[in-house]
Amino acid sequence: MNTVFHVTDRSVPLSAKARSRWPARLDLLQSGTGLALGLFMWGHMFFVATILLGKDAMWAVARFFEGYFFFGRSLYWLVSLIVAIVFALFITHAALALRKFPASYRQYRTYRDHMAGMKHEDTTLWYWQVVTGFALFFMASVHLYIMMTRPERIGPFGSADRMWSDLMWPLYLIMLFAVEFHGGIGLYRLALKWGWFERGDPDATRRKLRAFKWAITAFFLVLGVATLVAYVKIGIEHAPFYGQPYEPAWVTGGHQP
Ligand code: HEM
């Protein structure tokens, strides 16, 4: 005889029912933290890229987040607080992602074989999301810790010195590729999972979302590399004056190296 289980079955103890909701809740939390981080990253890339508009523009953005234009002086702890919140989101997101990592080499091999057999783009994308996510554990932690503990060094010269003289550019370059692939794939998978843009033919929606995802990734990679090159150029020129912060001409009334 077939046994039929009903979700509303009252014979199931409440604690077991409540427990069974946890995977869904954790999944929602992972999606939510991922979405928040993905949207934050879009803003972050534009703020950091203001260096392409000139040193004054980047200086103004950095001072804005320190509350300089509201309080008449820089409150660096404000930046540390923002970073601490992003750091908490990042750790939560990473901890929840651990559940989905292959737990043993055997599981990993099974997945790789499955992926090779399927040759399905979305399965391959998931693999790359795991690989880039793993790399970000280490790289983003270094970056976030420095941003949180040395907020006063964020600025056209401070950031450029860090990139070039402190030799952070190789880490930033790899992190840029990792975060753009990871974030792009993540947002694409979220849109599919929650059916945000589903209209009519699901295959057509998937194709359109995939094209959009690649376009966004390519855009932020080009912007990111151009930004990196701009900071490195300033960092090389400013190396003899390492540590000296930037002051815009309208503050100093003169020229700075
Ligand atoms: C509130 C948190 C964050 C702040 C305040 C922040 C700030 C900055 C700043 C000021 C730079 C310019 C270089 C420097 O000063 O060292 C930078 C670069 C960069 N950050 Fe962040 N960041 C934050 C979070 C993140 C996160 C979570 C990631 C990725 C997981 C990330 C990835 C990058 C990358 C890839 C670059 C190089 C950008 C490029 O070359 O175009 N940042 N960040």
Side-chain angles (χ1 to χ4, degrees), residues 134-156:
F134 185 70
L136 284 170
F137 265 120
F138 310 100
M139 294 188 293
S141 297
V142 172
H143 176 51
L144 285 167
Y145 188 78
I146 295 175
M147 293 294 118
M148 191 167 66
T149 53
R150 300 304 307 271
E152 76 287 355
R153 282 196 61 202
I154 298 176

Side-chain angles (χ1 to χ4, degrees), residues 172-207:
Y172 281 150
L173 188 61
I174 304 171
M175 185 162 67
L176 175 69
F177 277 80
V179 79
E180 293 314 333
F181 279 107
H182 188 85
I185 299 170
L187 290 174
Y188 161 74
R189 284 166 47 84
L190 268 187
L192 279 185
K193 181 169 179 170
W194 302 102
W196 288 337
F197 303 99
E198 214 146 275
R199 284 182 214 12
D201 179 12
D203 279 340
T205 311
R206 189 179 282 256
R207 269 197 306 277

Side-chain angles (χ1 to χ4, degrees), residues 3-253:
T3 315
V4 179
F5 291 100
H6 293 283
V7 180
T8 52
D9 190 348
R10 290 186 189 278
S11 64
V12 178
L14 192 67
S15 60
K17 262 206 242 174
R19 225 179 302 136
S20 71
R21 283 192 209 117
W22 273 104
R25 282 188 191 138
L26 295 179
D27 236 27
L28 197 64
L29 189 59
Q30 193 181 2
S31 294
T33 49
L35 179 64
L37 285 167
L39 297 179
F40 160 80
M41 245 2 251
W42 284 359
H44 167 287
M45 294 310 288
F46 284 118
F47 294 139
V48 175
T50 50
I51 197 69
L52 296 170
L53 302 176
K55 296 187 191 90
D56 284 359
M58 197 271 173
W59 181 90
V61 170
R63 300 295 81 83
F64 171 82
F65 284 106
E66 292 159 5
Y68 181 86
F69 301 114
F70 304 102
F71 307 106
R73 67 198 171 92
S74 289
L75 304 178
Y76 298 117
W77 61 265
L78 275 179
V79 177
S80 299
L81 183 71
I82 299 172
V83 182
I85 294 170
V86 173
F87 217 160
L89 276 175
F90 174 76
I91 293 170
T92 309
H93 184 71
L96 291 169
L98 274 180
R99 295 172 307 148
K100 312 230 169 121
F101 275 37
S104 63
Y105 183 69
R106 233 181 69 201
Q107 270 190 14
Y108 169 78
R109 275 289 4 143
T110 310
Y111 184 81
R112 289 283 306 194
D113 294 346
H114 176 70
M115 188 171 96
M118 291 255 293
K119 289 198 175 66
H120 186 277
E121 194 180 334
D122 282 5
T123 314
T124 312
L125 285 180
W126 186 83
Y127 174 77
W128 283 108
Q129 207 192 2
V130 172
V131 171
T132 50
F134 185 70
L136 284 170
F137 265 120
F138 310 100
M139 294 188 293
S141 297
V142 172
H143 176 51
L144 285 167
Y145 188 78
I146 295 175
M147 293 294 118
M148 191 167 66
T149 53
R150 300 304 307 271
E152 76 287 355
R153 282 196 61 202
I154 298 176
F157 285 161
S159 295
D161 283 347
R162 191 176 12 250
M163 284 251 189
W164 181 250
S165 300
D166 293 354
L167 216 65
M168 287 293 280
W169 69 264
L171 183 104
Y172 281 150
L173 188 61
I174 304 171
M175 185 162 67
L176 175 69
F177 277 80
V179 79
E180 293 314 333
F181 279 107
H182 188 85
I185 299 170
L187 290 174
Y188 161 74
R189 284 166 47 84
L190 268 187
L192 279 185
K193 181 169 179 170
W194 302 102
W196 288 337
F197 303 99
E198 214 146 275
R199 284 182 214 12
D201 179 12
D203 279 340
T205 311
R206 189 179 282 256
R207 269 197 306 277
K208 269 191 216 145
L209 278 177
R210 219 182 269 162
F212 184 63
K213 173 188 81 64
W214 284 117
I216 294 268
T217 302
F219 170 77
F220 280 111
L221 280 179
V222 171
L223 183 73
V225 170
T227 302
L228 194 95
V229 170
Y231 281 110
V232 165
K233 258 183 79 194
I234 298 172
I236 294 171
E237 285 160 17
H238 193 250
F241 313 97
Y242 177 86
Q244 190 183 87
Y246 181 78
E247 298 280 354
W250 55 270
V251 173
T252 60

